[in-house]
Amino acid sequence: MASQFHLNPHPPLGKLLITLLFRAFGYTGGSSFDSGEPHPDFVPYVQMRRVQAVLGTLLVPVVFAACRALRLPEMAGWLAALFVALDNALIGISRINMLDSALLLANAAALYAANSPGMYALLFVGIYILADLVDLTIKSQRQTVSLPTPNAR
């Protein structure tokens, strides 16, 4: 959000979507989110956490739908959804500002779309191609950054 280059191995699309949501709540950057420090007053952290909670909550029905798209028995779908709903790690991930909730939801949606007949799979492939083109465009526009190399002995 500060328009500064940051070397990070994660793909940018999820971060850009989360950033758009955070900007909708009025957050424009400026906080380093140091561990153990209180949030400044201008950080809408409650709304930020609500976004993650909604993404984590949506994971439960999407997992059920993915199991049904895989033609598993209905009881297996209910069991998988119950496991997702009661998993302590997923509950914890859904409470903090990380990309994991969005990533898990996207993976479950991809599993559903890839195994369901009709337009859902075609729509998801189109969204993926569009996201890939946007990513390639951004990479081609970005300046090359030279990183320091370790001293050779």
Side-chain angles (χ1 to χ4, degrees), residues 3 6 12 15 28-30 48 53 60 65 67 81 83-85 87 90 92 95 107 113 115-116 141 144 146:
S3 299
H6 177 69
K15 289 182 180 186
T28 57
M48 291 174 159
V60 176
C67 288
F83 286 163
V84 168
D87 185 19
L90 293 175
R95 294 181 61 192
N107 285 337
N115 291 292
S116 64
Q141 297 296 322
T144 325
S146 61

Side-chain angles (χ1 to χ4, degrees), residues 34-110:
D34 292 328
S35 181
E37 296 294 320
H39 294 297
D41 292 335
F42 63 87
V43 176
Y45 65 92
V46 174
Q47 290 87 347
M48 291 174 159
R49 286 187 170 186
R50 282 186 186 150
V51 169
Q52 302 304 322
V54 167
L55 293 174
T57 304
L58 289 174
L59 182 61
V60 176
V62 172
V63 164
F64 177 79
C67 288
R68 297 301 293 152
L70 287 167
R71 295 169 194 74
L72 296 174
E74 185 175 356
M75 187 55 130
W78 284 112
L79 192 60
L82 181 68
F83 286 163
V84 168
L86 299 179
D87 185 19
N88 285 335
L90 293 175
I91 291 170
I93 285 172
S94 297
R95 294 181 61 192
I96 55 178
N97 291 327
M98 293 177 59
L99 293 175
D100 296 1
S101 295
L103 179 66
L104 290 170
L105 184 62
N107 285 337

Side-chain angles (χ1 to χ4, degrees), residues 126-140:
I127 290 172
Y128 176 77
I129 290 172
L130 178 64
D132 197 27
L133 289 173
V134 168
D135 183 45
L136 288 173
T137 303
I138 290 171
K139 284 181 181 177
S140 69

